[in-house]
Amino acid sequence: FHYGYFTTSAALLGFLDPQWLKDYGPMARLVAKEYANWERDEEFPFLRTFDVWEGHSWAGGFSSPTGNNQESSSEAVQSWAGIFWLGQALGDEKMTATGAMGYAMETRAAMEYWFNIHGDNFSPNYKPPIVGMVWSGGQLFGTYFSGDPAWVYAIQWLPMSPALDYLARDKQRAKSSFETMLKLRKEKEGKAEIEDLGAALGNVVLAHQQQFDGDAVAAKLDDLWQKNSPIAHDNDTPGLTYYFTHANRTLGDIQWNYHASSPLSRIYFNPRTKMWSYIAFNPTDKTQEITVYKDEAPVGTFSAAPRKMTAAHQLNSKKP
C-alpha cells in the first residue's frame, strides 16, 4: 500500500504535466507493476500483493508468526485508485481495468472484514466493533504503532481523498461508527475532544467526519483556527481538510445511481441549493463529450475541456 502513494502522486502530476509523464511514465508503470502486475510476464509476479481468494490485499509477507496481515485497508484502496488514475494518465486500458477491479473488490472487502457492515463476519468471541488489523490467523483491534481507538479507526480512513468516499456511502452508518470511535476513546484515553487529537490524527478524523457532516466540520475548523490550534494551523494537512470540507458542502451528495462515460467523473446533487454538478477531468488534449447515465439510461451530455476539471451544472439534453 505504500506504493500507492507513488502511483497516485505520479498520476496527478502526470495529468498536469504531460512532459513529466512522457519522461517518467515508464518508471511509474514499473512501480505499479511491482505490487499489482496485470500482465503475466516474468518481470514481476502477477498481482503480487492481492489475494484473489480473500478479496483483499496483504501488506505483510510470511515473516510474522500468524502469517499475512493488513492494517490499513484505506491505503490498500488508494493503491488501486493510484493504478486506475495512472492508467488513465498513460492511456493504458489494461492498467486502468486492473485498478478498477482491485478498487471494486478491496472497498467491498474493507467494509466487510474491517467494518463488518452487515454484522455477520466477526466471530461471537470478537467483541470490538471494527478490526484494526486483519491477519490470516485472526483479527486485532489495534495497530502496529498505537492502541488509541481513534487511530484504530483512522488507519482505515486515510489518506483523505475522493477515493475513500466508499467509507460514507451510507452516511448514517458512518456517523454511528464515528460516534462509537469517540465513545471508545473516551473510555480508554479519558478524552474524546477533537482538540486532543493533535494535528495529524485530528485532520484524519475531521476529514472523515466531513464525508457525512460537512457543516459540523466547517464550524469546528473555524473554531480551531480562532484557538490557534495546530489542527487548523499546521503546514501539512489542514488545507486539504478545509478544501475537501467546503468543496463537498458546495457539491452536495454523490449520486450513486448516476455515472458518466468518462472514468474520471462523478455526479453530485446539493439538496439545499438544488444544484446538480456533473464533474469530469479530461486527461487528453481534445475536448471530450461526456454522456451521463441514470442507472443505465442516458440522460444528457456535457463537454469536458482538455486537461481540465469541468463542472457542468446542466446537461445538453433534458436535465434529470
Side-chain angles (χ1 to χ4, degrees), residues 42-292:
E42 297 180 357
E43 196 168 33
F44 297 106
F46 183 68
L47 295 176
R48 172 179 289 188
T49 60
F50 186 62
D51 188 330
V52 175
W53 296 105
E54 296 289 346
H56 62 77
S57 304
W58 293 113
F62 291 101
S63 60
S64 301
T66 49
N68 280 313
N69 74 89
Q70 180 159 275
E71 182 182 49
S72 178
S73 58
S74 51
E75 287 179 305
V77 167
Q78 178 186 237
S79 78
W80 295 113
I83 288 179
F84 182 85
W85 291 327
L86 187 58
Q88 282 290 291
L90 293 169
D92 188 325
E93 293 184 2
K94 290 184 178 180
M95 188 177 185
T96 298
T98 301
M101 176 281 299
Y103 182 88
M105 295 185 72
E106 195 94 39
T107 54
R108 289 294 297 272
M111 301 313 295
E112 291 286 352
Y113 304 131
W114 276 258
F115 289 98
N116 194 27
I117 59 170
H118 297 114
D120 56 2
N121 276 318
F122 291 174
S123 164
N125 297 322
Y126 183 81
K127 301 305 181 183
I130 72 163
V131 167
M133 302 170 71
V134 168
W135 293 78
S136 54
Q139 64 263 76
L140 174 71
F141 186 77
T143 71
Y144 272 116
F145 58 92
S146 174
D148 186 334
W151 268 121
V152 177
Y153 280 80
I155 201 65
Q156 318 304 332
W157 296 342
L158 59 81
M160 66 183 82
S161 162
L164 302 189
D165 284 333
Y166 66 93
L167 291 167
R169 184 164 181 165
D170 181 339
K171 291 190 174 185
Q172 189 55 47
R173 185 215 62 82
K175 182 175 184 292
S176 176
S177 182
F178 186 86
E179 291 170 348
T180 299
M181 177 275 292
L182 294 177
K183 177 184 176 182
L184 292 175
R185 191 167 200 270
K186 179 69 173 178
E187 293 173 355
K188 188 175 190 300
E189 304 292 328
K191 48 192 175 183
E193 298 299 322
I194 299 297
E195 290 89 335
D196 298 325
L197 297 174
L201 180 56
N203 275 282
V204 174
V205 168
L206 288 175
H208 175 62
Q209 186 184 8
Q210 65 83 26
Q211 291 182 299
F212 58 85
D213 193 353
D215 289 347
V217 173
K220 174 58 71 174
L221 286 172
D222 287 346
D223 178 58
L224 293 171
W225 180 267
Q226 292 298 326
K227 292 178 177 177
N228 204 34
S229 167
I231 297 176
H233 284 266
D234 189 64
N235 63 357
D236 188 3
T237 53
L240 291 174
T241 310
Y242 188 89
Y243 174 83
F244 277 116
T245 298
H246 287 280
N248 287 331
R249 289 178 73 233
T250 299
L251 292 168
D253 300 325
I254 299 170
Q255 300 303 292
W256 296 101
N257 62 327
Y258 281 73
H259 69 280
S261 56
S262 166
L264 302 173
S265 61
R266 185 170 280 175
I267 316 301
Y268 294 85
F269 177 70
N270 188 323
R272 289 187 291 193
T273 63
K274 308 303 180 185
M275 181 180 72
W276 287 84
S277 296
Y278 308 95
I279 297 176
F281 181 81
N282 177 0
T284 74
D285 294 321
K286 296 181 180 180
T287 298
Q288 290 181 334
E289 194 69 11
I290 310 297
T291 301
V292 176

